[in-house]
Amino acid sequence: MAYDDFKKRIRDDWRDTLRSILGRARSLGSSAVLAFDLDSTLFDNRPRQARILREYGVARSLAVLAACEPRHWVTGWDMKEAMRACGLEDALVESHFAEARRFWAERFFTSDYCVDDEAIDGAASFTHEVVATGARFVYVTGRHEAMREGSVSCMRRHGLVLPDDDRVLLVMKPTLAEDDDAFKREAHARLGRLGSVVAAFDNEPTHANDYRRKFPEATVIHLATDHSGRPVELLDGVISVPHFALGS
């Protein structure tokens, strides 16, 4: 599905769904488990993306890229689209893309750069509301262990709950080489051993669907932010939300 199609799935009562998740977690207490992805779920990584493209622009004397801002990453991970949005001519986009992509890959999956991420609206408060129910909170991310320090630093900067190896866990890939889809499916077994999975939150339709199949009794929330662009339809029962801000 296209980005706009996912946004059309957002129902007017999505906040009630998030509140009901908190209510169910509260009723189960310490036996409840809630799983959260990081990138494009709790964190907006467009500032990280923009920083890398700015640095590439400086390194290659491309002034329009050196002025790249998060707003230029319109629909997620499409670097060519972002380069064009910054004002780079199509011919230069094509001639620079392969090198820019290598430059990006050397930096994006690092602690030094993920510290630039910003929290999704309401994310910090919602993580604390989850923990206040007594439930176990599990970050399940495709980031790898070498990004742990930067990830935790960013959580601390934005006021999200911090991993404590007890009630709040951060589950990461051992290395960058592991496939994200396979890793997350393997993480399902660990989640099931921790308790009763009440809810799972992810921006990737593939991962949201996997949660829906594995934990049919759980509420699966899809963040209608951005995603990898794979043409995947969300399964029935997966609920799309724009962010975590519940308001009054």
Side-chain angles (χ1 to χ4, degrees), residues 56-230:
Y56 180 80
V58 171
R60 299 298 178 265
S61 299
L62 298 167
V64 293
L65 296 188
C68 181
E69 298 179 8
R71 63 184 175 85
H72 292 127
W73 294 81
V74 181
T75 57
W77 298 70
D78 189 335
M79 181 180 285
K80 285 187 178 181
E81 181 184 60
M83 295 167 84
R84 293 188 186 99
C86 290
L88 197 65
E89 297 176 1
D90 283 348
L92 289 176
V93 170
E94 295 302 325
S95 64
H96 278 277
F97 175 71
E99 184 183 1
R101 185 71 181 179
R102 287 192 295 271
F103 188 94
W104 174 91
E106 292 170 354
R107 292 160 177 78
F108 185 80
F109 302 102
T110 68
S111 273
D112 289 343
Y113 282 77
C114 74
V115 295
D116 282 11
D117 293 354
E118 297 291 333
I120 296 292
D121 192 20
S125 295
F126 194 75
T127 65
H128 285 278
E129 289 190 67
V130 169
V131 171
T133 68
R136 179 163 276 164
F137 188 109
V138 188
Y139 295 108
V140 181
T141 174
R143 298 182 184 190
H144 59 114
E145 283 290 348
M147 296 179 71
R148 181 175 290 269
E149 181 180 354
S151 299
V152 174
S153 175
C154 200
M155 292 172 189
R156 182 178 295 108
R157 181 164 69 91
H158 291 295
L160 278 70
V161 295
L162 299 180
D164 61 7
D165 295 325
D166 180 21
R167 303 306 304 174
V168 181
L169 306 178
L170 173 54
V171 179
M172 312 182 81
K173 296 192 304 186
T175 68
L176 179 59
E178 271 80 17
D179 176 75
D180 281 7
D181 295 351
F183 166 75
K184 288 205 169 182
R185 289 171 187 144
E186 291 169 0
H188 291 166
R190 180 173 180 180
L191 290 172
R193 290 193 297 270
L194 290 173
S196 178
V197 178
V198 168
F201 299 75
D202 208 297
N203 67 297
E204 277 294 329
T206 295
H207 300 159
N209 288 347
D210 284 344
Y211 276 122
R212 180 67 178 154
R213 295 186 186 100
K214 180 65 176 180
F215 302 107
E217 300 304 316
T219 303
V220 178
I221 299 295
H222 163 254
L223 269 293
T225 51
D226 58 37
H227 59 90
S228 62
R230 290 182 287 181

